[in-house]
Amino acid sequence: MLYFSRFKMILIWLAVAATVILAAPNLFPASTLAQLPSWVPKRQMTLGLDLQGGSHILLEMNQNDLIKDRLETARDEIRTMLRDAKIGYTGLAGTGRTLQVRITDPAQLDAAKKALKSLTDPVAAGLFTGGSIQEMSLDDSEPGLLKFTVTDAGIKYRTATALEQSIEVVQRRVNELGTTEPIVQRQGDDRILVQVPGLQDPQRLKEILGQTAKLTFQMVDQSMPVQDALKGRPPAGDSVLYSQDDPPVPYLIENRVIVSGENLVDAQATYNSQNNEPVVSFRFDSKGAARFGQATAQNVGKLFAIILDNQVISAPQIREPILGGTGQISGNFTAQSANDLAVLLRAGALPATLTVIEERTVGPGLGQDSIHAGKVAGIIGSILVVAFMFVSYGFLGFIANIALAVHVAMIVGLLSLLGATLTLPGIAGIVLTIGMAVDSNVLIYERIREERRAGRSVIQAIDTGFSKALATIVDSNVTSLIATVVLFYLGTGPVKGFAITYAIGILTTVFTAFTFTRLLVSIWLRRARPKELPKAPVTFVPPGTKIPFMGIRRWTFALSSTLSILSVVLFMSVGINYGIDFKGGSLIEVQSKSGDANLGDIRSRLTELNIGEVQVQQFGAPNDVLIRVGTQDAGENAEQTVIDKVRGELQDQYNFRRVEVVGPTVSGELAKQGTIAMIVALIGILVYVWFRFEWQFAVGAIVATVHDVVMTLGFFVITGLEFNQSSLAAILTIIGYSLNDTIVVYDRVREDLRKYKRMPLPQLLNNAINETLSRTTLTSVTTSLALLALVLFGGEVIRSFTLAMLFGVVFGTYSSIFIAAPLLILFKLRPQASTDEEKPVNGGKAVAT
């Protein structure tokens, strides 16, 4: 076990060197790296939006727009086809997904069906369905009446094609803003995820993404005053549209489109040479230029309207034919609004309206503060863990600390190599793995000490310690990994970043603790040839400790049952403080531009906006304020309206550092995903433990884990901490950590069951717990030290997350000893020894068979 061939040693050192080299670029600024030779690795970790600032926006396509457009197109097609075929009709109208027309002459019904047959012909759907689909179906059951209905397959086809088109349009719009490395990708069947790091003006991004940008050029009908049309009904073929002015000006517009934005090939923000006002210059393609030139030549002296998303931008008079295919759009533009319109026109129109259903925006200032807080917490946590390990194990602790440094370098190097995104919870994941990375070392070292006390030589004790610890290390880390994998697949955003970091940390822990530490110990053995294990400055758990844990199991069961019932009652009656992730609404963090924030003034000003329930509280420093606004009843768009109102009210005196908006649709989905994640993680762990142990162990582990989850939920209820996605990540991590502890105890119980055939189960459990007590307590202390550094120095944003983790670590340790182990007696793991008698065998000494 301690022998390493030269080839294996070279491979291990190469792996360590490679990860250190990959991690090194993160220590230098990008400007310094740019000056280095091209062969030098320069790839750094990608910072998440919560660290570098930027916007995360989830857009949902309005399928009703697609159905409406399809029906309008079909209505025009029916009108044209029936007129061309000289077939009389009446009652051409549509509702919902159905369009109907009545043929006036029954003798022409067959001819009408033949003329309209193309509407129901299969459409080659290509990649979207893998074949052809019927987009519209025909119902002619009522005499003389033809009903055309958009099919489910047709809606799916339209949505798929429109989504692909929308992604291209959104990509072009975002790229026009000049941002670096934006992410635009499909999510689900009708959603688009947009992430723009480092964005200084998220409000502008939302405005650009939220506009359909459907541009048309249409004639103004001057045959009657628009006021008469408003009092009565507009003439057939006309509509009343309003301008973007304040107050809006009505225009009577002919529905016929002369030229649309599809014929634009370029649009640029420029200045009018006469009055120096911002305008948008445009240029048509040859087809659009011909149509525009013909229309302007035929309507000299008349007004034509430039319409964007059913709003009249301007309605100039045609003074002469415009034959060059170019023109200008003038209006009440600022330089930025003219540039934004040019961006929209160049990118093209969206096929349907996109609604913002989730927004998470972080200002660059808050991102820098989070990075600083994460660094401070990481350094302090590392110092505490390193010091504790040295005090606990002396020179062996020094070796463990070297392995710990390599462990951190491997995490950073792999994150850089994979291009994974480092988020604020991801930093918490690294700090947490620093605390947990020593777990495997503690497990190995305690086993080595135990073997040495049993009379083995130093070399034999070390070799046997590594060998016997391997199975326990694998079992304990696999259970944590199961919870982490579930978290990755069902989590989103920063939570997924935490899962990636934590999963990499689990894998590198096994390598550094079992392989790299073993290599360092073997080198030390060969060179020093020690006669005894290094002495530790402090012994926290004396050898030979015999605490009768099973003797108080009834008391601990009663205590845990009482606290669990109390937690459930409080959860059902008082309720948990759900964050916007699970109940929807808006969360806004602002910072006063000068002096301390006035909470009373903010509360009163926002209350006057009539935006529903508003909570205002201090958040960290006296000049930082956290504002929560309840979910709006008017739908997804109303959530964005709230942000606009709050921004307009406070932006003069406060900087907006963070904005999170979760609509009712997304919040319901996140709550469902959270529940599924908990169930899937528990089932996965149950199956694994059942596979590796007997059923009593699996059920006992799950009961103890559920106990920890219930207690943590009670902690959230009593403290009033906000329960959000990060809190869910904390619970899933607690599940993994608690099981890690439980598996270590169970692994020793299983070993002792094979060793001591006649020992009563209560005594055997006492022995197993006492034998692993040093490992259990030391690991709990190291993890708690790392988490305490996060709680105190990691910043307000992740405080609830780390507090829950700290609480879970304490109760996870408690449940492993006082819940998981005694349950084996209750489940009659060894029936002949499950009575209340706990008499030691042979005067307290175990009999091995």
Side-chain angles (χ1 to χ4, degrees):
M1 180 64 72
L2 291 175
Y3 172 74
F4 287 86
S5 66
R6 184 178 298 274
F7 178 71
K8 187 180 291 185
M9 289 180 63
I10 292 174
L11 284 180
I12 294 173
W13 284 112
L14 284 177
V16 172
T19 53
V20 170
I21 291 172
L22 290 172
N26 294 280
L27 300 174
F28 304 97
S31 57
T32 302
L33 294 174
Q35 300 173 4
L36 298 177
S38 58
W39 53 268
V40 176
K42 300 182 179 65
R43 191 165 188 175
Q44 296 178 317
M45 287 186 293
T46 303
L47 297 181
L49 299 181
D50 54 352
L51 292 178
Q52 64 172 315
S55 288
H56 161 110
I57 294 177
L58 186 61
L59 303 164
E60 185 174 63
M61 179 176 291
N62 190 338
Q63 289 189 348
N64 291 329
D65 284 359
L66 299 175
I67 297 172
K68 181 181 177 182
D69 288 346
R70 182 66 189 104
L71 290 181
E72 288 180 356
T73 303
R75 185 168 55 238
D76 293 339
E77 290 175 352
I78 290 173
R79 184 183 295 115
T80 302
M81 292 174 183
L82 293 180
R83 285 177 178 174
D84 291 345
K86 296 182 171 52
I87 297 173
Y89 66 92
T90 186
L92 178 58
T95 56
R97 291 165 53 174
T98 302
L99 192 66
Q100 67 180 29
V101 61
R102 184 173 296 278
I103 306 303
T104 54
D105 185 359
Q108 292 184 306
L109 187 59
D110 290 337
K113 291 181 184 179
K114 184 177 180 181
L116 301 177
K117 184 177 180 300
S118 61
L119 292 175
T120 57
D121 284 343
V123 177
L127 295 175
F128 300 109
T129 61
S132 61
I133 56 103
Q134 187 179 17
E135 193 175 0
M136 300 191 78
S137 61
L138 171 63
D139 177 12
D140 57 354
S141 57
E142 188 175 337
L145 187 66
L146 302 179
K147 291 183 178 179
F148 296 90
T149 303
V150 182
T151 64
D152 291 337
I155 293 176
K156 184 178 180 180
Y157 163 66
R158 285 277 166 179
T159 303
T161 53
L163 192 66
E164 292 298 319
Q165 181 182 345
S166 297
I167 290 174
E168 293 179 7
V169 172
V170 169
Q171 183 80 57
R172 288 197 294 267
R173 291 184 183 181
V174 173
N175 288 338
E176 289 282 356
L177 294 176
T179 55
T180 57
E181 299 183 1
I183 297 173
V184 179
Q185 63 188 28
R186 176 175 181 163
Q187 190 168 89
D189 294 330
D190 58 354
R191 294 178 182 175
I192 300 174
L193 175 65
V194 180
Q195 291 185 336
V196 186
L199 186 66
Q200 300 293 325
D201 189 1
Q203 192 66 20
R204 184 184 177 205
L205 174 66
K206 285 193 299 180
E207 290 172 355
I208 287 178
L209 295 180
Q211 292 192 54
T212 306
K214 186 176 182 180
L215 182 74
T216 58
F217 295 81
Q218 298 168 229
M219 296 303 301
V220 177
D221 189 345
Q222 297 173 276
S223 62
M224 67 178 297
V226 66
Q227 298 300 331
D228 293 346
L230 289 171
K231 293 177 182 177
R233 291 183 60 183
D238 287 358
S239 300
V240 176
L241 300 179
Y242 290 85
S243 71
Q244 296 178 327
D245 301 312
D246 188 19
V249 177
Y251 290 90
L252 186 61
I253 306 295
E254 295 181 5
N255 293 339
R256 180 174 60 90
V257 175
I258 300 171
V259 189
S260 70
E262 296 176 357
N263 298 113
L264 278 178
V265 293
D266 190 25
Q268 297 291 337
T270 58
Y271 289 91
N272 190 313
S273 58
Q274 298 179 352
N275 52 26
N276 206 34
E277 290 183 352
V279 295
V280 177
S281 299
F282 60 86
R283 179 165 55 88
F284 288 121
D285 58 17
S286 57
K287 184 178 179 181
R291 286 183 179 178
F292 194 60
Q294 182 181 10
T296 53
Q298 294 173 354
N299 294 280
V300 174
K302 297 182 179 179
L303 301 178
F304 78 98
I306 303 171
I307 300 169
L308 181 70
D309 292 342
N310 288 325
Q311 284 189 306
V312 178
I313 298 178
S314 61
Q317 185 180 39
I318 302 173
R319 302 188 182 277
E320 59 184 13
I322 305 175
L323 304 176
T326 61
Q328 287 184 346
I329 302 174
S330 59
N332 297 321
F333 293 130
T334 62
Q336 180 170 304
S337 63
N339 187 62
D340 288 348
L341 177 57
V343 167
L344 292 171
L345 297 182
R346 286 197 302 272
L350 291 167
T353 303
L354 295 176
T355 303
V356 178
I357 59 174
E358 181 185 8
E359 175 196 354
R360 301 181 190 273
T361 298
V362 176
L366 179 59
Q368 289 299 319
D369 291 348
S370 297
I371 293 175
H372 177 72
K375 286 181 178 178
V376 171
I379 292 171
I380 293 176
S382 300
I383 291 173
L384 291 175
V385 172
V386 166
F388 185 81
M389 284 299 293
F390 184 76
V391 168
S392 301
Y393 294 103
F395 182 75
L396 288 179
F398 173 73
I399 291 177
N401 289 332
I402 295 175
L404 184 62
V406 172
H407 162 76
V408 175
M410 292 189 80
I411 293 178
V412 175
L414 288 173
L415 286 174
S416 302
L417 177 65
L418 297 174
T421 301
L422 180 66
T423 61
L424 185 56
I427 292 179
I430 292 177
V431 177
L432 178 62
T433 59
I434 289 173
M436 292 188 65
V438 300
D439 168 63
S440 297
N441 282 311
V442 169
L443 194 65
I444 293 167
Y445 289 169
E446 289 302 315
R447 196 74 196 222
I448 291 173
R449 285 177 171 179
E450 189 178 329
E451 297 296 329
R452 179 62 178 145
R453 287 194 296 268
R456 296 182 185 273
S457 66
V458 172
I459 294 179
Q460 288 176 330
I462 292 175
D463 187 63
T464 306
F466 274 102
S467 179
K468 288 188 175 182
L470 178 59
T472 307
I473 291 172
V474 172
D475 284 334
S476 60
N477 281 285
V478 166
T479 52
S480 295
L481 194 60
I482 290 173
T484 307
V485 169
V486 172
L487 192 62
F488 173 77
Y489 279 104
L490 296 179
T492 58
V495 174
K496 184 167 287 191
F498 168 78
I500 293 172
T501 305
Y502 192 53
I504 292 175
I506 291 172
L507 297 176
T508 56
T509 292
V510 176
F511 172 81
T512 54
F514 189 76
T515 302
F516 186 65
T517 302
R518 189 159 52 93
L519 174 63
L520 294 180
V521 170
S522 69
I523 293 173
W524 168 68
L525 283 175
R526 284 202 309 272
R527 295 187 176 182
R529 300 186 180 278
K531 301 298 183 181
E532 190 53 73
L533 293 175
K535 298 293 183 182
V538 179
T539 301
F540 290 93
V541 179
T545 301
K546 298 292 182 182
I547 301 175
F549 293 103
M550 295 304 103
I552 59 171
R553 66 178 185 273
R554 292 181 179 85
W555 293 100
T556 57
F557 276 158
L559 175 64
S560 294
S561 299
T562 301
L563 292 177
S564 297
I565 292 172
L566 180 62
S567 295
V568 172
V569 170
L570 288 173
F571 180 79
M572 300 295 290
S573 57
V574 178
I576 205 165
N577 179 23
Y578 288 109
I580 65 169
D581 290 337
F582 298 120
K583 68 178 182 180
S586 306
L587 183 147
I588 307 162
E589 183 183 343
V590 298
Q591 187 177 70
S592 174
K593 293 182 178 179
S594 61
D596 295 344
N598 189 332
L599 301 186
D601 177 62
I602 293 175
R603 191 176 292 110
S604 62
R605 290 166 66 179
L606 296 184
T607 302
E608 294 175 358
L609 297 178
N610 295 320
I611 54 178
E613 178 188 0
V614 177
Q615 298 177 8
V616 181
Q617 67 183 71
Q618 186 176 326
F619 190 68
N623 61 337
D624 290 333
V625 179
L626 195 66
I627 303 168
R628 291 186 178 89
V629 183
T631 186
Q632 304 297 301
D633 297 331
E636 310 285 354
N637 286 322
E639 305 289 348
Q640 293 298 317
T641 303
V642 165
I643 299 299
D644 294 339
K645 288 183 177 180
V646 174
R647 192 181 294 275
E649 184 69 29
L650 301 179
Q651 64 183 354
D652 291 340
Q653 296 174 306
Y654 295 89
N655 292 318
F656 281 66
R657 290 163 61 84
R658 176 164 58 116
V659 175
E660 296 185 12
V661 182
V662 180
T665 302
V666 173
S667 62
E669 292 173 358
L670 291 176
K672 181 180 177 181
Q673 282 183 338
T675 305
I676 293 173
M678 295 280 290
I679 295 172
V680 170
L682 288 175
I683 291 175
I685 291 166
L686 174 64
V687 170
Y688 179 80
V689 177
W690 200 324
F691 175 77
R692 291 286 292 145
F693 298 83
E694 298 179 44
W695 70 265
Q696 291 96 333
F697 290 96
V699 177
I702 292 299
V703 171
T705 303
V706 171
H707 162 271
D708 296 339
V709 172
V710 170
M711 298 301 292
T712 306
L713 291 176
F715 174 75
F716 273 102
V717 175
I718 292 173
T719 58
L721 291 173
E722 182 181 288
F723 190 85
N724 50 32
Q725 281 197 89
S726 296
S727 307
L728 179 63
I731 288 182
L732 284 171
T733 309
I734 289 168
I735 289 174
Y737 179 86
S738 174
L739 277 159
N740 187 307
D741 255 0
T742 302
I743 292 300
V744 170
V745 175
Y746 276 1
D747 197 71
R748 182 57 64 93
V749 171
R750 182 176 58 178
E751 181 181 332
D752 287 352
L753 283 170
R754 292 192 294 263
K755 187 185 297 184
Y756 308 118
K757 301 290 187 181
R758 296 171 52 196
M759 181 181 289
L761 186 58
Q763 184 184 348
L764 185 144
L765 293 174
N766 275 334
N767 283 357
I769 294 172
N770 280 291
E771 287 169 352
T772 57
L773 186 61
S774 181
R775 175 267 167 199
T776 301
T777 54
L778 291 180
T779 299
S780 178
V781 170
T782 54
T783 308
S784 297
L785 287 174
L787 287 171
L788 189 62
L790 281 171
V791 170
L792 298 177
F793 306 102
E796 290 290 335
V797 177
I798 59 170
R799 181 152 293 160
S800 63
F801 169 74
T802 50
L803 273 173
M805 292 278 287
L806 185 59
F807 177 86
V809 165
V810 173
F811 264 84
T813 304
Y814 162 84
S815 68
S816 299
I817 297 172
F818 295 106
I819 304 297
L823 282 173
L824 297 178
I825 301 175
L826 186 65
F827 295 151
K828 301 185 186 305
L829 178 64
R830 181 180 280 180
Q832 70 272 19
S834 61
T835 64
D836 290 338
E837 296 184 43
E838 301 179 11
K839 298 177 181 178
V841 178
N842 291 352
K845 295 182 179 179
V847 177
T849 59

